[in-house]
Amino acid sequence: MNDTIAAIATPVGEGGIHIIRISGPEAVAIASALFQPQDGKQVADLEPQKVVYGNLIDPANGQTVDEVLLIRFRAPHSYTGEDVIEIHGHGGAYVSSKILQLVLGQGARLAEPGEFTRRAFLNGRLDLSQAEAVADVIHAASDKALTSALAQLKGKLSEKLNTLYDALVQVLAQLEAAIDFPEEGLEFSQKQQLEQRIQGTNREIKNLVDSYRQGKIYREGLKVALVGKPNVGKSSLLNALLKEDRAIVTPHPGTTRDTLEERVRIKDIHITIVDTAGLRHQAGEIEEHGIERTRHALAQADLALVIFDGSQALDTNDALLIKEVNERRKLVLLNKSDLPTVINKDSLLKQVKSAVALPLSATTGQGLEDLHEALYQSALDGKTVGESLVITRERHRQALAEAHAALARVSQSLQEDRSEDLIAVDLNAALEHLGGILGKTFVDDLLDQIFVDFCIGK
Ligand SMILES: Nc1nc2c(ncn2[C@@H]2O[C@H](COP(=O)(O)OP(=O)(O)OP(=O)(O)O)[C@@H](O)[C@H]2O)c(=O)[nH]1
Ligand SMILES: [Mg+2]
C-alpha cells in the first residue's frame, strides 16, 4: 500500500477525453516532473480540487505530449484517501497510453483492477458493502439497479447492518459480564429480555435475507423460462414478446430442440426470456437432450411461464409439465385464445395450484398487455422501488443467512438455559458474519474476489 499506482480511468479506445489517475505518496512528485501549469506555478503549490490547465511534457526531450487539465486532491480528501492526481488529456488511445507510460516511468506502478477502490476501503473511505456498490453503480443497466446500488453506496445498507451489529454487541457485553462474574450470573428475566432482543434483530436479518430475490432482480433482471408441452406456442410467444421473428415456429411438435435466450425490457426491468424444447414423454434422442436443457432452464429461472394450449384438452404431456413446475414460482398461460376454448380451466387451476390462468393468443397478440403487466408485477413482487432496503449480492445473502442461523441457535440456547460461554460462541459467529459484509473483518482473498470484478482505473 506504500507505493504509488496509476491507470487510465476511462474506457480504452478513442473519445473526447482520457483521464489518467495517480494515487499514492509520490503522486505529486510524479506530476511535478511531467506537468507545467500554464500560469508557471509548481504542481506542489496547486490548490487542491481546482482544475489547472497546462502542458504535459516528456522529460526526456522537453517536448509537449498533450495539453491537459490537472486536478490535485490532497490526502485524506480524495477517493482513495491518499494524494491523488487526475490528468485529463485528449481522448486518443495513443496519447493516453503515452502519458501513462511517462507516469509509470516516474516510478508509479500500473494499478490492478479495482485497486483505487480497494485503497479507499483500506483507508476507511468506504466500507466493503459500499465498495461493492461502486461496481454495481458502474454495471447498473436499469433505473432499479441504479437506485438500489446508489442507496448501498450512500451507506443505507451499512447503516442498517451497523445498527443490527451494535444491538448484538450490547447483548454480548451482558453475556460476557455474566461470564466474568459467574456468581452474579444472568437471571431468568434478564435471559428472557436478551432472547427477545435477539429475536427482534433476527427478524430484521431474515427480512434482509428474503430481500435478496428482489435485489437480484433489480441488479440482474428477471429470468423467465417458457415451458410447456410441444406445440403450445412457446416459440410464438417468445417472438411476440420480442416483436421479432427470433425463434423458428412450425405446426410440427418438437420444433425447438435447444434453449434460446433473449432479453426484453418491460418498463425499467430487464427480463431474460428462455424459450425451451417442449416437455413430453417418449421423445427421441435429440429431443431428450433438449428436454434436459429445459429442466436446467427451469431450475435457473426466477419465474416459469407455464403454457397450455387452451384449444385442446389436457393430456399426459401436460400432466408431466404440471409435475415439473409443481414447486416453482409460476404464471399460468392459456394460449391460442383466438380458437374455441376446450380446456377445463377450473380443473387445470386446481392441478397446477395457481389462482389464475391468463388467456393469450401469441399469434393475434391478444392478452399480451396483461402478460406484460403480470411479468412486471412479478418482478416487483408487490413492492415499489426504494420502499425497502434490498440486498443484491450472493455474498451478503450468504453471510446474513449464516448470521440468522447462528442467532437462532442463540435464542434456542437462551431458552434452554445453557451456559453463557456457549451462547457467546454463537453470538460471536453472528457478529463475524455481519461484520464480514461491512469488511470489519476480512481476508485478502475476499478482497481479491471482490475487486477482480472492477475495471482497471476504478
Ligand atoms: N391459433 C393459434 N395458433 C398458435 C398460437 N400460438 C402458436 N400457434 C401455432 O401453434 C404451432 C406451434 O407453435 P410454436 O410456437 O412452434 O410452438 P412451441 O410450443 O414452440 O412448439 P415446440 O417448439 O415444438 O415445443 C404453430 O403452428 C403456431 O403458429 C395462437 O395463439 N393461436
Ligand atoms: Mg418452440
Side-chain angles (χ1 to χ4, degrees):
M1 268 263 287
N2 289 327
D3 57 355
T4 298
I5 53 173
I8 301 173
T10 37
V12 231
E14 294 186 356
I17 54 167
H18 265 308
I19 300 176
I20 288 109
R21 233 182 190 178
I22 314 170
S23 179
E26 295 303 315
V28 173
I30 291 170
S32 302
L34 302 175
F35 180 68
Q36 285 178 350
Q38 177 79 353
D39 60 8
K41 274 193 186 159
Q42 297 295 313
V43 173
D45 300 329
L46 296 181
E47 229 182 294
Q49 291 163 351
K50 283 265 158 62
V51 180
V52 187
Y53 170 71
N55 288 320
L56 203 293
I57 308 290
D58 181 346
N61 52 26
Q63 281 182 354
T64 300
V65 176
D66 195 5
E67 290 185 345
V68 302
L69 297 175
L70 182 139
I71 311 172
R72 173 185 178 198
F73 299 88
R74 208 199 307 246
H77 305 291
S78 72
Y79 182 67
T80 57
E82 305 173 327
D83 277 342
V84 167
I85 296 281
E86 271 185 24
I87 301 169
H88 297 216
H90 286 100
Y94 180 75
V95 69
S96 59
S97 73
K98 173 128 190 174
I99 296 174
L100 178 65
Q101 288 313 318
L102 292 175
V103 168
L104 299 179
Q106 293 298 312
R109 167 174 65 76
L110 185 64
E112 313 261 339
E115 197 171 359
F116 291 90
T117 309
R118 187 180 185 132
R119 288 187 173 199
F121 162 67
L122 292 171
N123 288 323
R125 300 290 289 166
L126 24 76
D127 69 37
L128 205 48
S129 78
Q130 289 174 304
E132 289 171 311
V134 169
D136 293 345
V137 168
I138 290 173
H139 296 138
S142 70
D143 269 0
K144 299 251 181 308
L146 186 58
T147 312
S148 65
L150 276 175
Q152 191 175 320
L153 179 61
K154 286 190 180 300
K156 258 184 92 174
L157 178 64
S158 318
E159 213 174 279
K160 179 84 198 171
L161 292 174
N162 274 312
T163 310
L164 298 171
Y165 190 92
D166 292 344
L168 294 180
V169 167
Q170 282 180 20
V171 174
L172 186 65
Q174 291 199 38
L175 277 177
E176 281 177 346
I179 293 169
D180 290 343
F181 304 100
E183 61 283 2
E184 289 175 20
L186 283 177
E187 283 170 19
F188 179 69
S189 65
Q190 280 177 305
K191 284 198 172 175
Q192 267 188 326
Q193 214 181 21
L194 291 187
E195 205 229 319
Q196 261 169 21
R197 287 175 67 177
I198 293 285
Q199 280 195 3
T201 306
N202 215 9
R203 261 196 300 279
E204 298 197 51
I205 291 179
K206 180 73 173 31
N207 287 342
L208 283 176
V209 174
D210 291 344
S211 75
Y212 178 64
R213 177 183 184 268
Q214 203 57 40
K216 186 164 166 275
I217 290 169
Y218 291 164
R219 208 167 85 109
E220 297 167 19
L222 183 77
K223 194 156 186 173
V224 172
L226 300 179
V227 288
K229 71 179 176 189
N231 229 33
V232 293
K234 299 179 292 298
S235 302
S236 304
L237 180 56
L238 174 79
N239 292 345
L241 287 166
L242 294 176
K243 300 195 187 87
E244 142 184 0
D245 269 340
R246 180 68 185 83
I248 299 172
V249 169
T250 76
H252 307 290
T255 300
T256 304
R257 297 293 176 89
D258 203 349
T259 49
L260 176 65
E261 201 171 299
E262 287 294 332
R263 271 158 83 88
V264 289
R265 206 176 160 127
I266 298 182
K267 296 180 198 171
D268 47 7
I269 295 266
H270 279 287
I271 304 207
T272 302
I273 309 172
V274 190
D275 182 22
T276 66
L279 286 164
R280 69 166 148 188
H281 295 290
Q282 285 157 352
E285 192 187 337
I286 303 175
E287 247 184 297
E288 270 303 337
H289 283 296
I291 290 176
E292 249 336 285
R293 293 188 176 198
T294 301
R295 295 202 167 98
H296 182 72
L298 201 51
Q300 301 287 310
D302 300 305
L303 180 76
L305 284 192
V306 186
I307 308 174
F308 296 91
D309 179 346
S311 70
Q312 285 184 4
L314 290 175
D315 63 19
T316 55
N317 288 331
D318 290 311
L320 174 71
L321 169 70
I322 289 170
K323 218 169 75 193
E324 297 275 351
V325 299
N326 194 16
E327 296 300 319
R328 311 226 151 259
R329 244 173 208 269
K330 54 185 162 296
L331 198 60
V332 177
L333 304 177
L334 283 187
N335 193 31
K336 309 201 184 181
S337 64
D338 51 301
L339 301 176
T341 302
V342 169
I343 212 164
N344 182 335
K345 202 167 143 185
D346 292 336
S347 141
L348 172 68
L349 289 179
K350 227 176 273 160
Q351 288 184 58
V352 286
K353 294 190 210 141
S354 169
V356 280
L358 291 180
L360 180 85
S361 170
T363 45
T364 68
Q366 194 185 333
L368 217 51
E369 275 298 305
D370 290 345
L371 174 58
H372 275 140
E373 189 53 32
L375 282 173
Y376 187 69
Q377 290 308 328
S378 170
L380 288 192
D381 206 14
K383 299 182 186 72
T384 52
V385 138
E387 182 184 87
S388 57
L389 195 57
V390 294
I391 57 165
T392 57
R393 288 190 171 239
E394 172 58 21
R395 183 179 87 83
H396 300 174
R397 192 202 60 76
Q398 214 171 334
L400 286 161
E402 301 265 15
H404 180 70
L407 288 182
R409 290 196 298 274
V410 170
S411 269
Q412 178 88 17
S413 302
L414 280 166
Q415 280 169 23
E416 291 171 359
D417 205 20
R418 304 178 86 151
S419 84
E420 282 91 0
D421 287 290
L422 192 94
I423 300 172
V425 170
D426 282 325
L427 195 48
N428 269 311
L431 280 167
E432 214 161 283
H433 289 300
L434 285 188
I437 300 177
L438 298 166
K440 283 184 198 283
T441 51
F442 63 88
V443 287
D444 283 344
D445 281 359
L446 171 65
L447 296 194
D448 291 346
Q449 255 176 44
I450 288 175
F451 289 108
V452 78
D453 272 353
F454 279 66
C455 13
I456 289 188
K458 190 63 219 178

